Amino acid sequence: MEQADDTSAASAFTPDEIEAGRRLFAGEWTFLSAAPTIATLPPMRTIEIALAGRSNVGKSSLVNALTGRKALARTSVTPGRTQELIFFGLGPDLTLVDMPGYGFAKAPKDKVDAWTATVHAYLRGRANLARVFVLIDSRHGLKPIDREVLDGLDKAAVSYAVVLTKADQLKPAELAQRVEETQAGLARRPAAFPLVFPTSSRDGSGIGELRAAVIRLMAERGVR
């Protein structure tokens, strides 16, 4: 697992990495496919980054903020709308995956169970999956259902990092406390990246650091 000298995302990346991330994500993003089952997954490309989180935590909004697009990913106020693994591509080198939200899906139990099985199989078997960004609403912090997901990622040895969304809705002191609490909750988790990323899709804060983290990960994998 990667190590960092500082647990603050704002100070962990160089200006060159921030700029490289901006240039990379400013490229031409396209919708690749929507996969409701493992059998319908698209071919694996070089690097894949997945976004996981509770329904309505802001995954689609974060995809749009990262890529600088207003409507690349559909956003909805209806929890559980994303019912497939949604793949977005940037050339041959990078794919973003918007995963079905967990916790609030308004669907029959057998259908929710099927989505869950697909997600678990994807996480275990996707060889080019470089990292999962687990989105947590900064207003609420880690909940038991989030910890269950982190437990599963630790068990599967899938590298992940926690992204705090909607950070603009907290006062600076409250956000700093939430970051500290979240870091403490990740301290003994074997697959957790050591940085917590507070972000806001509304005002853009933290988006540059998240892009830079992808740039660094790609460099470590020998891409670009």
Side-chain angles (χ1 to χ4, degrees), residues 15-181:
D16 286 345
E17 288 175 317
I18 298 288
E19 174 60 17
R22 185 196 65 77
R23 292 198 307 268
L24 173 69
F25 278 84
E28 187 63 31
W29 287 89
T30 58
F31 168 81
L32 296 177
S33 66
T37 66
I38 288 298
T40 57
L41 289 176
M44 287 186 285
R45 290 144 51 94
T46 305
I47 292 288
E48 206 156 271
I49 305 292
L51 304 181
R54 298 181 72 179
S55 297
N56 224 24
V57 75
K59 289 186 281 82
S60 296
S61 295
L62 186 64
V63 170
N64 292 334
L66 283 169
T67 61
R69 307 297 191 271
K70 292 184 179 180
L72 180 65
R74 293 185 302 172
T75 59
S76 173
V77 296
T78 304
R81 180 172 177 177
T82 301
Q83 301 174 3
E84 303 163 304
L85 293 160
I86 311 296
F87 291 77
F88 304 98
L90 176 65
D93 293 333
L94 182 61
T95 301
L96 287 179
V97 186
D98 187 2
M99 302 178 70
Y102 54 83
F104 294 110
K106 295 182 178 179
K109 185 178 184 300
D110 59 344
K111 192 168 186 179
V112 174
D113 289 344
W115 300 340
T116 302
T118 296
V119 167
H120 287 173
Y122 165 77
L123 292 173
R124 288 194 304 268
R126 197 70 168 172
N128 65 326
L129 177 60
R131 179 160 299 145
V132 177
F133 287 128
V134 181
L135 277 57
I136 305 295
D137 190 321
S138 63
R139 298 170 299 178
H140 308 306
L142 287 169
K143 297 296 185 182
I145 192 171
D146 301 312
R147 293 187 178 91
E148 290 178 13
V149 171
L150 301 186
D151 289 344
L153 292 170
D154 284 329
K155 185 175 181 179
V158 175
S159 174
Y160 63 88
V162 167
V163 177
L164 296 176
T165 62
K166 307 178 185 181
D168 60 296
Q169 298 187 35
L170 291 181
K171 296 178 180 178
E174 294 173 329
L175 181 59
Q177 181 177 357
R178 182 71 70 218
V179 169
E180 184 178 349
E181 292 170 353

Side-chain angles (χ1 to χ4, degrees), residues 178-203:
R178 182 71 70 218
V179 169
E180 184 178 349
E181 292 170 353
T182 305
Q183 288 171 338
L186 299 176
R188 295 175 181 265
R189 291 186 173 275
F193 187 71
L195 297 181
V196 171
F197 295 85
T199 65
S200 169
S201 297
R202 180 178 298 176
D203 66 19

